[in-house]
Amino acid sequence: MTGITIAITNQKGGVAKTTTTVNLSASLASMGYRVLIIDMDPQGHAGEHLGVKKEQTILEVLTKQTVIQNNIVKTYKQNLYCLPSNLQLGQFNQLNPTQYQYALKGALAEIKGDFDFILIDCQPSLSLLTLNALTASDYVILPVQAEFFALDGLSQLVYTLKEIQNRLHPTLGVLGILLTMFDRRNKLSLEVRQELTQNFRESLFKTVIPRNIKLAEAPSFNLAINDYDKGSAGADAYQNLAKEILKKLNLDKS
Ligand SMILES: Nc1ncnc2c1ncn2[C@@H]1O[C@H](COP(=O)(O)OP(=O)(O)OP(=O)(O)O)[C@@H](O)[C@H]1O
Ligand SMILES: [Mg+2]
């Protein structure tokens, strides 16, 4: 196992970073891949979604109070593991960036061989935590919500990623831009898709995540979408995304 590491990031809040991290991970896990979710957001939503305890967290790992193996927890789902966070993780952003910008990368080196995929949920800001997620990752996925200001933030994000590639991590790849909460009856959704296609055709995932109430309900049942409602449009979409990613990475067996 090579532990392909993917950060799900966007400095904008509420664009479906956590929903994508959890449900893409669960889709990969149900295909038989061993997957670890790392919650790099002090809001702790990824762990909460899966109903894992948030006592031992990524914070102690980043600050070297413990080794990473000690704080990884099993989720209810076979093949799916989580390294949760809680509000205390916010303290990490006060530390010296020069000393700590590769803390996650260092920790992951110890366990990469134990997982097929490591997916990192990021907080909605370009903080030291997010910088750690990016320096530790092979790829990024950029979720974009189908709404009016979506493209505004995206250009800034792409610029920031270029800076990081230039200064810290030249091989960081953009796996794709993911259009989320898409509503095909909504004119604005269609316009955003058109603009994304014009400006970012190369990087835009073919899979689009529709607005689907089941995706919003699943966290309150502590289930991933493919266990909460396997036949839903949301479950289908994240399954298709998983397949598209395997294809992009030349890992699909079909
Ligand atoms: N495709 C969808 N259809 C309907 N609701 C969705 C969809 N995707 C996400 N949501 C809901 O939208 C809200 C924001 O999603 P989510 O928490 O995943 O965003 P986020 O980018 O992680 O937010 P934050 O920046 O606060 O971390 C949540 O209530 C989630 O359940
Ligand atoms: Mg989130």
Side-chain angles (χ1 to χ4, degrees):
M1 284 184 269
T2 52
I4 296 169
T5 305
I6 306 172
I8 292 68
T9 194
N10 190 330
Q11 78 278 14
K12 258 175 115 69
V15 299
K17 292 180 288 295
T18 305
T19 305
T20 299
T21 305
V22 170
N23 293 310
L24 173 58
S25 297
S27 294
L28 290 166
S30 66
M31 291 162 140
Y33 294 99
R34 262 173 79 90
V35 185
L36 171 64
I37 293 175
I38 300 194
D39 194 348
M40 287 292 271
D41 182 353
Q43 294 183 101
H45 288 165
E48 237 162 72
H49 188 147
L50 292 164
V52 304
K53 286 209 181 91
K54 302 192 294 181
E55 284 149 15
Q56 294 170 316
T57 71
I58 183 70
L59 179 63
E60 297 92 64
V61 176
L62 296 173
T63 53
K64 296 210 166 140
Q65 292 166 74
T66 189
V67 292
I68 188 162
Q69 291 87 341
N70 285 344
N71 284 14
I72 293 174
V73 292
K74 280 182 93 134
T75 71
Y76 78 89
K77 193 171 178 63
Q78 199 183 3
N79 293 327
L80 187 58
Y81 297 78
C82 182
L83 217 176
S85 81
N86 59 28
L87 273 180
Q88 265 86 53
L89 180 62
Q91 298 164 10
F92 183 80
N93 283 330
Q94 314 301 322
L95 299 175
N96 179 349
T98 323
Q99 196 182 340
Y100 281 97
Q101 62 195 357
Y102 295 111
L104 183 60
K105 186 183 167 84
L108 289 188
E110 297 182 39
I111 51 140
K112 276 216 163 196
D114 300 338
F115 295 94
D116 297 298
F117 289 97
I118 301 172
L119 269 67
I120 309 175
D121 190 18
C122 292
Q123 72 175 152
S125 69
L126 292 165
S127 57
L128 180 57
L129 282 167
T130 302
L131 186 63
N132 264 264
L134 297 176
T135 56
S137 291
D138 304 304
Y139 299 99
V140 290
I141 291 176
L142 312 176
V144 171
Q145 192 183 343
E147 53 143 75
F148 185 64
F149 290 114
L151 294 162
D152 220 25
L154 187 58
S155 309
Q156 193 192 332
L157 182 56
V158 168
Y159 175 81
T160 307
L161 287 172
K162 289 227 168 81
E163 286 281 290
I164 287 168
Q165 285 163 337
N166 289 340
R167 291 192 297 121
L168 300 172
H169 186 359
T171 59
L172 178 63
V174 176
L175 194 53
I177 296 171
L178 178 67
L179 188 57
T180 64
M181 296 185 236
F182 181 77
D183 178 356
R184 78 179 112 102
R185 292 160 305 181
N186 181 333
K187 195 161 162 258
L188 188 58
S189 265
L190 296 167
E191 280 170 15
V192 170
R193 178 153 79 172
Q194 201 174 16
E195 274 217 38
L196 278 174
T197 310
Q198 274 165 11
N199 292 296
F200 301 97
R201 183 183 291 275
E202 300 287 283
S203 350
L204 192 61
F205 282 112
K206 289 192 182 68
T207 307
V208 169
I209 310 298
R211 188 171 278 285
N212 177 226
I213 186 73
K214 301 289 179 185
L215 285 168
E217 288 170 2
S220 49
F221 294 88
N222 295 137
L223 293 171
I225 190 65
N226 54 4
D227 294 312
Y228 176 61
D229 188 344
K230 202 171 169 39
S232 63
D236 272 356
Y238 278 108
Q239 183 77 10
N240 288 339
L241 179 64
K243 286 186 194 152
E244 187 176 349
I245 287 171
L246 293 175
K247 211 167 182 181
K248 269 197 177 183
L249 297 172
N250 289 321
L251 293 170
D252 65 330
K253 295 160 193 151
S254 57

